[in-house]
Every structure is written in C-alpha cells, then in structure tokens.
Amino acid sequence: MNQTIHNLLTEQLASWETARNNYAALSGVRVKELNVNGIPYKVQFNPARIVSSGAKVDAKSIQARKCFLCPANLPPVQKGISFGGHYHILVNPFPIFPRHLTVPELAHTPQRIATRFTDMLELAGALTDYTIFYNGPKCGASAPDHAHFQAGNKGFMPIEKDWRGQTAGKIADYRKAVLWYLDDAPRATLVIESASKEDAADLFDIVYRSLDTKPEEDEPMMNVLAMYEADRWVVFVFPREKHRPTCYTAEGEANLLSSPASVDLGGVFITPVEKDFLKITAEDVAQILSEVCLSATDFHKIRQRIREKM
C-alpha cells in the first residue's frame, strides 16, 4: 500500500500545479524549536495552512459553502485511491508534511470517531509509513461536516519518538492492550499500545465513554493519532477542553492565529502568519495548551473514571 501511495503522490505532483507548488514550498518552510516544560516542540511557519487555521467552521459558514471533500466537488485533476470500500485516499494540496494525505468518507456524513476508530487502526496498519490523525469537529477539523482522517509521514512529530520517555504511569492493562498516560502538562495525553486491533478498539471505547461530552456537542472533544510499528498499534488520545485559545480572537499584539489540531498536539505548532512565527514563545505554547487541553485536575478525574469502567 505504501508504494501505491508513493505512486499517487508522484503522479499528482506531476499533474497538479497547486499541489506541486505547495509541496515545493515546504522546502522553504521555516522551523524553530521550543522547550515547553521540558517537552520539545517545533513551530512551523507555513502560509499555505491559512486555509485550515483560518477556516470558518460555524454552522452558517459550513452551510454556505460547497463541501470540498465530497467527490463531486473535488478538482478534476485530483485523483484518489479507494480504501475499505467507502474511503478515498487523496493527496492533501495544502501540506504540513512532506507526504500529506486526506482520507475522506465517500458519503457526506459528519465528522465523528466512535464508529470509525477501527477504520483508523486499519488505515494505520495499511499505511505503515504514515501516522494517521483525526481532528474532532471542534478540535481543528476544517471540514466538520464530512468524516475524514489525515495522514502524514512518520517521524515528523516529536511525540512519535519521545513519548516513552514522557510516560508518567500505567492506567490499566486490557487483554493485549495497555493504557498509559504521559507527564507532559499542560498537554494531557493518553496512549493506547496494543498488539490486537480489537483490544485497542475496545480500550478506546472505554476511554471515549469516560470523557465528558459538552451539552452542544455530539462527541467528546479530542484529537487522535494512530500509527503501526513493530507489530503493534500506538494511539495517542488528546482530550480537549476548548476549540481555540483566547489569542485566536484577541486584538492587536495579543493576537496569535493558533487553532491547535492533532499535529500541534503532536509537537509541531503550525503558524500560517509570519509575525506569529517570529514572536511565538514557549510560554505562548504553554498558555495555548493550558487553554485547549484538560486541566491536571480534570485529567486525573478522567483517569479515575477509566479505571472504574474497566
């Protein structure tokens, strides 16, 4: 499957000018490194991502635009590969990663994870060169009205290689799966590690049912990363408290266009505006994370609730 995806990327970059230009621009993307309470983060200045970071995702704006993930609305030059009978693997024309994919459901149906988590694990098992990610409808998804995953080449996000050194403790063993939590505040991170797809899915269901769903929402706020390596799945679940930090709508110098999603929580903050890239500090990242992630108190409650449901 990895070779098939490689061939798709090669063909699309040869035939699709928008994608070709945006992937070429990645070579000039600037990156800086920050240390946030002992956890390494990168900040990427990526102007093309204004499409996602600045996306209007309120109900009125969503209803007023054509869904850009529906097959009928894709650019004629955009080609894809079928997956699982009801997904389409597409090259993302506005990349963060050197290899960046979008995997939308063929049908126009809301962005929800509960019934699709096994699909996410199957994607990770098939695309072993990639990390799969899910952004909740109010957790960075620029198309909350159309179910989709994304995928980026492995090794891009610091958490992928650093998480074991950040492990704070084990919450529970569950058959062939283990649930860990990390010592990485102000981020709040749960990690499922499993040699069994079924056990990973069952454990995720327990986590899902342990999280609070806000009155106006249909699912708990979260971002999820999944990868398959060394004959096991590793899944990062980031429970969320808030969609966007205060700085997103602040006036003047306090404004910073940060709309955190899975990649940001994985350790690569995306700044589509140059002034934000230049000024953002480790303290800013910590403040943003403290607003959008669960507090230490709430994270502790969730871990207790998970143990009670085992």
Side-chain angles (χ1 to χ4, degrees):
M1 189 69 173
N2 291 313
Q3 185 59 48
T4 304
I5 297 299
H6 175 76
N7 294 341
L8 174 68
L9 276 159
T10 301
E11 187 277 328
Q12 288 280 262
L13 295 187
S15 62
W16 189 5
E17 185 179 9
T18 299
R20 181 168 62 251
N21 291 343
N22 285 335
Y23 277 85
L26 285 179
S27 63
V29 161
R30 284 182 280 169
V31 177
K32 66 181 182 182
E33 298 184 0
L34 299 175
N35 184 304
V36 182
N37 297 344
I39 306 297
Y41 282 81
K42 296 178 181 178
V43 181
Q44 181 191 95
F45 170 48
N46 189 334
R49 293 302 297 180
I50 192 72
V51 173
S52 180
S53 296
K56 293 182 178 180
V57 293
D58 59 283
K60 185 177 180 180
S61 297
I62 292 294
Q63 291 169 4
R65 58 103 169 114
K66 288 184 178 180
C67 176
F68 54 85
L69 292 181
C70 281
N73 300 327
L74 297 177
V77 70
Q78 190 169 24
K79 308 301 179 185
I81 296 169
S82 177
F83 183 83
H86 55 105
Y87 290 97
H88 213 195
I89 300 177
L90 306 169
V91 172
N92 190 318
F94 303 104
I96 296 171
F97 300 78
R99 287 173 285 153
H100 192 159
L101 309 171
T102 302
V103 189
E105 168 71 65
L106 290 174
H108 185 76
T109 186
Q111 178 79 327
R112 303 286 183 269
I113 188 65
T115 61
R116 299 179 185 279
F117 182 70
T118 298
D119 298 343
M120 188 178 193
L121 296 178
E122 289 175 353
L123 264 172
L127 277 61
T128 53
D129 289 348
Y130 292 81
T131 296
I132 315 301
F133 53 105
Y134 170 85
N135 294 323
K138 287 191 177 178
C139 298
S142 53
D145 56 329
H146 194 122
H148 66 285
F149 300 106
Q150 293 184 67
N153 49 278
K154 276 183 182 172
F156 185 85
M157 292 176 282
I159 197 170
E160 296 174 62
K161 63 181 185 301
D162 294 340
W163 74 270
R164 290 188 187 279
Q166 299 163 11
T167 303
K170 181 189 294 186
I171 297 174
D173 288 298
Y174 187 83
R175 301 196 294 259
K176 294 180 181 178
V178 182
L179 182 64
W180 310 92
Y181 71 101
L182 302 189
D183 179 16
D184 59 351
R187 187 171 64 188
T189 310
L190 299 168
V191 184
I192 296 170
E193 188 177 15
S194 179
S196 161
K197 180 176 63 179
E198 293 73 22
D199 294 349
D202 288 347
L203 187 49
F204 177 80
D205 181 65
I206 293 170
V207 171
Y208 183 98
R209 290 185 290 105
S210 300
L211 299 175
D212 294 318
T213 301
K214 295 183 183 299
E216 69 277 15
E217 304 300 329
D218 293 322
E219 72 173 17
M221 294 180 71
M222 71 176 82
N223 298 96
V224 186
L225 303 172
M227 58 184 184
Y228 185 80
E229 59 184 12
D231 299 322
R232 62 185 54 238
W233 283 269
V234 178
V235 180
F236 305 93
V237 181
F238 306 101
R240 293 280 292 265
E241 175 60 35
K242 187 178 177 182
H243 180 196
R244 286 167 168 164
T246 304
C247 64
Y248 187 89
T249 54
E251 299 291 333
E253 280 301 305
N255 178 262
L256 202 162
L257 196 69
S258 174
S259 184
S262 294
V263 176
D264 306 77
L265 295 179
V268 182
F269 262 65
I270 307 303
T271 52
V273 180
E274 185 176 28
K275 71 172 181 64
D276 293 344
F277 172 76
L278 294 173
K279 76 178 183 180
I280 193 169
T281 65
E283 289 72 25
D284 293 325
V285 170
Q287 178 60 34
I288 290 167
L289 291 171
S290 70
E291 289 186 44
V292 302
C293 298
L294 296 186
S295 68
T297 300
D298 288 342
F299 191 38
H300 178 76
K301 289 178 181 177
I302 292 301
R303 299 198 304 271
Q304 288 296 109
R305 202 177 295 167
I306 291 169
R307 290 188 181 100
E308 291 166 4
K309 289 184 182 295
M310 287 293 184

